[in-house]
Amino acid sequence: MKKIEAIIKPFKLDDVKEALNGIGIKGMTVSDVKGYGRQKGHKEIYRGAEYEVDFIPKTKLEIIVDAAQVDQVVDTIREAANTDKIGDGKIFVLPIEEVIRVRTGEKGREAI
Amino acid sequence: MKKIEAIIKPFKLDDVKEALNGIGIKGMTVSDVKGYGRQKGHKEIYRGAEYEVDFIPKTKLEIIVDAAQVDQVVDTIREAANTDKIGDGKIFVLPIEEVIRVRTGEKGREAI
Amino acid sequence: MKKIEAIIKPFKLDDVKEALNGIGIKGMTVSDVKGYGRQKGHKEIYRGAEYEVDFIPKTKLEIIVDAAQVDQVVDTIREAANTDKIGDGKIFVLPIEEVIRVRTGEKGREAI
Amino acid sequence: MINTGDTAFILAAAGLVLLMTPGLALFYAGMVRSKNVLGTILQSFIMIALISMEWVYLGYSMSFGPDVGGVIGDLSWFALNGVTTEPSPDYATTIPHTVFMIYQCMFAVITPALITGAFAERVRFGPFVLFSLAWAVLVYNPVCHWIWGAGGWLGSRGVLDFAGGLVVHLTCGAGALAAVMVVGPRKNFGRANFMPHNLPMTLLGTGLLWFGWFGFNGGSALAANEIAAVAFVSTHLGGMAGMAMWTLMEWLRDDKPTTLGAASGAIAGLATITPAAGFVGPNSAIIIGLLAGLCCYFAVSFKNRLGFDDSLDVVGIHGLGGVIGTVCLGVFASKAVNPGGADGLLAGNPDFLVTQLFGIMVVGLYAFIVSWILCKVIDMAIGMRLDTDSEMVGLDQAEHSETAYNT
Amino acid sequence: MINTGDTAFILAAAGLVLLMTPGLALFYAGMVRSKNVLGTILQSFIMIALISMEWVYLGYSMSFGPDVGGVIGDLSWFALNGVTTEPSPDYATTIPHTVFMIYQCMFAVITPALITGAFAERVRFGPFVLFSLAWAVLVYNPVCHWIWGAGGWLGSRGVLDFAGGLVVHLTCGAGALAAVMVVGPRKNFGRANFMPHNLPMTLLGTGLLWFGWFGFNGGSALAANEIAAVAFVSTHLGGMAGMAMWTLMEWLRDDKPTTLGAASGAIAGLATITPAAGFVGPNSAIIIGLLAGLCCYFAVSFKNRLGFDDSLDVVGIHGLGGVIGTVCLGVFASKAVNPGGADGLLAGNPDFLVTQLFGIMVVGLYAFIVSWILCKVIDMAIGMRLDTDSEMVGLDQAEHSETAYNT
Amino acid sequence: MINTGDTAFILAAAGLVLLMTPGLALFYAGMVRSKNVLGTILQSFIMIALISMEWVYLGYSMSFGPDVGGVIGDLSWFALNGVTTEPSPDYATTIPHTVFMIYQCMFAVITPALITGAFAERVRFGPFVLFSLAWAVLVYNPVCHWIWGAGGWLGSRGVLDFAGGLVVHLTCGAGALAAVMVVGPRKNFGRANFMPHNLPMTLLGTGLLWFGWFGFNGGSALAANEIAAVAFVSTHLGGMAGMAMWTLMEWLRDDKPTTLGAASGAIAGLATITPAAGFVGPNSAIIIGLLAGLCCYFAVSFKNRLGFDDSLDVVGIHGLGGVIGTVCLGVFASKAVNPGGADGLLAGNPDFLVTQLFGIMVVGLYAFIVSWILCKVIDMAIGMRLDTDSEMVGLDQAEHSETAYNT
Ligand SMILES: Nc1ncnc2c1ncn2[C@@H]1O[C@H](COP(=O)(O)OP(=O)(O)O)[C@@H](O)[C@H]1O
Ligand SMILES: Nc1ncnc2c1ncn2[C@@H]1O[C@H](COP(=O)(O)OP(=O)(O)O)[C@@H](O)[C@H]1O
Ligand SMILES: Nc1ncnc2c1ncn2[C@@H]1O[C@H](COP(=O)(O)OP(=O)(O)O)[C@@H](O)[C@H]1O
């Protein structure tokens, strides 16, 4: 099993979710994060003063998948999340040693 | 060292925390996430229209433990978080290569 | 590639970010978490009753770096985040199998 | 004959009292957990619809209509029949009768809304609506008639209540006590912390309530005259003294004054001065406010030890406030301040204090008993409580299919 | 001769109507997504500056200045020239003329602000400001003159509108319809859910709007007299009945009443009673409120099926409310209630109903056509819509370089 | 003899001014970081208790009591002794004396609350309370007496201040300047961004402040008469013009108007028109408002360059506004508008402008010096600042053991 973490632009969440459903991914965990990277932050105006805000709202997806599915999932996310602009995000693949479903105790593949 | 990530139902946090204290786990990191999976989302009514909201509020626990403790911790979380209903959540076990305590620089077991 | 996760005190974020910029780290992902550990929580007063709140606001950094940079990054974070008080936080190092940039599809080192 | 100044004043006051219900909704909603915000707000808001409707077709006539044996008004004013823009001969003789009617309507609306703080975060909407309606009819209307209705027996016996220490605050406090006893505590009460989810919202509510209270107490003079001035001034002083005392107690005992403490003290002071507002001078008002802050602070802390889940302290603040205020009126009332009022203990008239105590006993017992029976019957018939799962999920989703905050 | 009671009343009423604009800002802002909160608030707030300025140098004179052929006021009152503290002979003869002027200013301010709910979350600030200004000049001022201006042709024909069913609610509803047709739906409309980001904010706005509405309708009597009493009472009853009906419909059809439903029903009831407030009795007011809740509930649900993105339901609530209220006035109006008013259908006078229908037709068509042309021209000239990226990022950052919430 | 219209008006106005303190609390709290929300709110709220208490036992008598040599009132009105519902012969002769007293109380309450914006997010609660109390006694009360007290020396010299340009805004601005100099900037000032945590809260506060300002300025006519009309109108026009100008400047210079800019401009305009409200005509009021928006916009931007941490711009908006407004009064005042007022420069009377400048100098210097000494002494004695750790943790937890928001 692998864990795929993807940092994407928030307004792309629906597209990515639908795309993943399309390839049979029926579970994921999502959270709001702030990102810092190449993409220039935006300026904010506060009573005549300008501030540079360099942390940009991003959405983080965590998806546990079978090792065999990794490439497909990665490609799917890339297509759906891509706007060809800096800041589209990153995808990280991490190893997972075990997955357990709380309710049943099922492990591995059965658990997801 | 291993990292245990558990996605549970928010109102189970206190129970899980107490159960973990029971087996001597004195540290963890918690965050609010949204989950998508088998559990059906709820409907919301907005001026006579019904919407399906399929991301469900969940709580994510991150616990670094000694490899030897993993099974005990997993079982403890399972018992405490279980409501026998779909959506009780998942537990993931990830490898950790190093743990450092910021304050002292202690590493590994000493750091947690 | 490695993933470095650091749990630090929120008000230390700016210092850590600057320090990391200093050593050429130009990307990271940040999120708000709550921490539980040695550091005593604070008491809250609510209409004459006192409550112990034991989850403390913390900030979590996620940084993907080249394996070679890990030690330098860890040390940099430690220095910048340290206040010599309990609760300064932890740093975890996790293995990463792959990194992909959404926009370009670049992998590994090129992706960060 | 109609006086434009008085009419302008009471219309403004009626608007202010209406505003208190949304104010209360926010005051309460800020103290609940985020999954119960909307349900809590709606419990107050819905009273505007429910009780106003009841008021037009039942409540006003029962409360202020032609007296029947001192105990209740008959129903001859059903649908406001005969309630016109002509001033009433009995009430507020310088303004249109309808203005008096709508002003009183606002009082009837907020009183059951006050009760909702006691069983916050755990009751079903349907049974709650039923309870509130029945309570308005069987508790509020009669008590209102006894004290403020022309010919009401307690009023005739000399019981005084300027703006609702008995009619509003004691009835809702007693109702709250009964309801909590029937409904029981929230799941995990005592184990988990139920932290307020948004205190700025509670402070905003406090500000709106204070502002509205000037209409509540000031307007109870029913004219823009000297009595209104007396009531307005004591209201402000009572509220500020309550805030001063509560924060002071926190400072001394926990060495930290809190924002919620300041708000709680203010509401305690405002509730407590209510029955006395138009009958006492400024210095008495300050003493009353200080007593309110002191007693309510201890009552609330004490409750916490009792493990009695009056979630937002309706008993400890409104109920107790109504009692203290009514007693203090018996002590500090002075005809020098308000010739239409009474002389109290300090003015050498202990009898009046006794009368007030009698009023407290009667209203407190009546409101408690009827409320308890109502609540019990409804609970046995259809169940007041949410099932455990729904309580865990929260009122907003379980009862209203809504979410307060989306990002 | 100036009457202090009337002056106090209308000054208070003017303050209340001013408060409605921030109230509306919050009512709307709570329903948008968090990235559009500030832009939405500003669309209402800026009207206070924009329209007040226009009012002093153009609007007041066009609306209420010396009549030209029944269609418009001349510009002789430019810069309030001749508008002094002397009472006007034509309007509100017991208060300073400037008080009447500023009271009417508040109406002119909130009307275009109401429209903003229709094209929420997607228009550029500059073109929006331009549209609102032109709309005030070409739609609001003329219609206001026709109905309320001395010599206005619709008023002379006997069309009645107590506090703005036609002048305020129908014009903004028709303008909203036109604007939505020109501007089009939000990106992903129908696909994504646009959940309200903060419903407590919307409920707070509702509370402030209700409170302000007493000034809006009550003050339209222009004196603290019997008519003010009638208007105040029907306003409250209309609002509460609207709330009651909407929540009831939700309860019956979705078996869950909602908080937003209660708020929506209240606003529907308040908007609908507006034209009739000072001309009908309490029981008629309740019927009108119930009808408002019923019709607007269905209109809004129906719209959802139409896939027509009137984002915050300006057409379904204000536009429709203005129409229903104006028709109901034709049905329920009674000289017994207000001798200065008219007798409606039920009082055996069908002609008046016809007159009202005529008024609706004229105002509805005029407002719709002019609004559509204005919007179209501006859209073709400089473009009303945000580009897609900006719409995705949200108004706050794209148009104002601000963020509503920071942690 | 008591006039009901005037009494209703001033009671309503007093309520409105009270509401400004919660309004201010929200206005400020929205601009601080979420860890300091409650502490910021409480700094305003607590003034209601602290200063109202001081007002009854000291302040009112010092400010308005029998004059001693033009510099201060004696203490014969201690505990409101002799302040009854009889109208005072010197002040507001058509309403109960107590109404005037409580109306003025609200002014005394909000003035020190305004200062808190300057040292937001960094002072200890205890020393802050001490400072505010001492400031009220040594700065507010004397200055209030000099200008508004019967026999006050500046008033006798012809210095005019309709509703508090000098008494309220300049004193708090000068106090703020002194306090910032003593207390110093927030940790990491200049390095970190201190972004407002909740701008909708600030906009809500703005709405409540604007609403309340009608009572603040309109009520200062102390009767529901022509002067009240003048003051009410200029207040609205001053505020809207300030908003128009500030947003315009942002539009021109940053090509983005902001929501906070609109709010800031409105407050600047309202503060600036305050001293002139009852003495100038509508067109002058608009010019004054435009000037306010212009000058305060630049003052605030300039401050940012100075690296002077007047955190919420009390000096740049209130202090400067008070000065500009008082000068403009010297220029635009006209007896044609208010016979009881004065003629200014444009009416061919330069002397009056000189008098106003003299008033500014005296009040500005006095307020600054006394505030600086007070602050310095308290700081040296017990320390105004939070220790670094507490400042990092935030006021709410460090000083009040509370958290504003819990999920
Ligand atoms: N080294 C890194 N470690 C962790 N997260 C990163 C790293 N670099 C970038 N990110 C995340 O990816 C997001 C996008 O990266 P950015 O460099 O801005 O553009 P791009 O995705 O085009 O490379 C950032 O906002 C941040 O959340
Ligand atoms: N493949 C997955 N990857 C990551 N998180 C998942 C995955 N599947 C489920 N989850 C998380 O676990 C939660 C519960 O899963 P769900 O399928 O709803 O019920 P159950 O826990 O009974 O299997 C989801 O809400 C989601 O947060
Ligand atoms: N075993 C653990 N697993 C995950 N996170 C932990 C663990 N122990 C501590 N933490 C995180 O580190 C933070 C600091 O730890 P704590 O024990 O309070 O102080 P210190 O950093 O000085 O050891 C905690 O608030 C929590 O977020």
Side-chain angles (χ1 to χ4, degrees), chain E residues 142-234:
Chain E
V143 172
C144 181
H145 184 80
W146 299 349
I147 293 173
W148 289 340
W153 74 283
L154 284 179
S156 318
R157 266 172 166 261
V159 173
L160 287 184
D161 181 3
F162 190 74
L166 294 169
V167 177
V168 173
H169 295 287
L170 181 51
T171 56
C172 77
L177 183 63
V180 173
M181 289 171 57
V182 174
V183 171
R186 289 166 289 184
K187 289 265 162 299
N188 300 326
F189 176 70
R191 262 183 72 223
N193 306 358
F194 302 111
M195 282 300 171
H197 93 287
N198 187 329
L199 281 177
M201 183 183 282
T202 295
L203 270 287
L204 164 59
T206 307
L208 294 178
L209 283 168
W210 195 312
F211 180 52
W213 229 297
F214 288 130
F216 197 93
N217 290 359
S220 290
L222 299 172
N225 56 18
E226 289 85 348
I227 305 307
V230 170
F232 190 104
V233 170
S234 5

Side-chain angles (χ1 to χ4, degrees), chain B residues 27-29 62 64 101 103, chain C residues 35-36 38-39 58 87 89-90:
Chain B
M28 70 190 74
T29 300
E62 294 172 89
I64 307 300
R101 167 174 285 131
R103 179 169 38 102
Chain C
Y36 175 70
R38 263 193 206 58
Q39 180 187 7
K58 299 280 174 185
K90 318 272 192 194

Side-chain angles (χ1 to χ4, degrees), chain E residues 86-376:
Chain E
E86 280 299 296
S88 138
D90 299 323
Y91 313 106
T93 55
T94 62
I95 65 176
H97 190 176
T98 46
V99 173
F100 175 76
M101 178 278 300
I102 203 72
Y103 177 65
Q104 289 297 333
C105 176
M106 305 309 184
F107 283 64
V109 164
I110 197 170
T111 307
L114 285 163
I115 301 179
T116 63
F119 44 64
E121 307 195 295
R122 57 195 188 276
V123 301
R124 292 170 53 219
F125 190 69
F128 152 75
V129 165
L130 193 63
F131 168 76
S132 304
L133 181 58
W135 190 89
V137 174
L138 299 179
V139 177
Y140 186 83
N141 295 344
V143 172
C144 181
H145 184 80
W146 299 349
I147 293 173
W148 289 340
W153 74 283
L154 284 179
S156 318
R157 266 172 166 261
V159 173
L160 287 184
D161 181 3
F162 190 74
L166 294 169
V167 177
V168 173
H169 295 287
L170 181 51
T171 56
C172 77
L177 183 63
V180 173
M181 289 171 57
V182 174
V183 171
R186 289 166 289 184
K187 289 265 162 299
N188 300 326
F189 176 70
R191 262 183 72 223
N193 306 358
F194 302 111
M195 282 300 171
H197 93 287
N198 187 329
L199 281 177
M201 183 183 282
T202 295
L203 270 287
L204 164 59
T206 307
L208 294 178
L209 283 168
W210 195 312
F211 180 52
W213 229 297
F214 288 130
F216 197 93
N217 290 359
S220 290
L222 299 172
N225 56 18
E226 289 85 348
I227 305 307
V230 170
F232 190 104
V233 170
S234 5
T235 300
H236 182 71
L237 297 181
M240 73 88 182
M243 190 201 294
M245 190 52 127
W246 189 300
T247 43
L248 198 66
M249 293 312 303
E250 288 184 323
W251 216 337
L252 297 175
R253 292 168 41 98
D254 315 313
D255 78 32
K256 293 245 182 86
T258 69
T259 317
L260 181 59
S264 310
I267 299 302
L270 290 161
T272 305
I273 197 63
T274 296
F279 298 124
V280 302
N283 292 286
S284 310
I286 290 174
I287 297 169
I288 293 173
L290 293 170
L291 279 171
L294 189 73
C295 303
C296 296
Y297 171 80
F298 281 109
V300 165
S301 325
F302 181 64
K303 171 212 75 169
N304 289 322
R305 287 188 204 62
L306 273 184
F308 173 74
D309 190 14
D310 172 9
S311 311
L312 309 180
D313 297 306
V314 182
V315 180
I317 289 178
H318 294 279
L320 185 60
V323 170
I324 298 172
T326 308
V327 174
C328 288
L329 174 53
V331 175
F332 296 104
S334 148
K335 287 197 159 144
V337 173
N338 180 342
D343 274 329
L345 187 64
L346 297 187
N349 176 15
D351 303 4
F352 178 58
L353 176 54
V354 177
T355 313
Q356 292 299 89
L357 292 169
F358 176 74
I360 292 168
M361 208 191 58
V362 172
V363 172
L365 279 177
Y366 176 80
F368 176 79
I369 293 165
V370 178
S371 306
W372 191 89
I373 295 169
L374 272 177
C375 207
K376 195 74 188 169

Side-chain angles (χ1 to χ4, degrees), chain E residues 30-52:
Chain E
M31 286 187 276
V32 300
R33 286 161 297 169
S34 50
K35 61 186 176 182
N36 296 312
V37 183
L38 298 176
T40 303
I41 289 178
L42 190 56
Q43 287 178 351
S44 288
F45 257 82
I46 201 67
M47 290 302 148
I48 302 177
L50 184 71
I51 304 300
S52 300

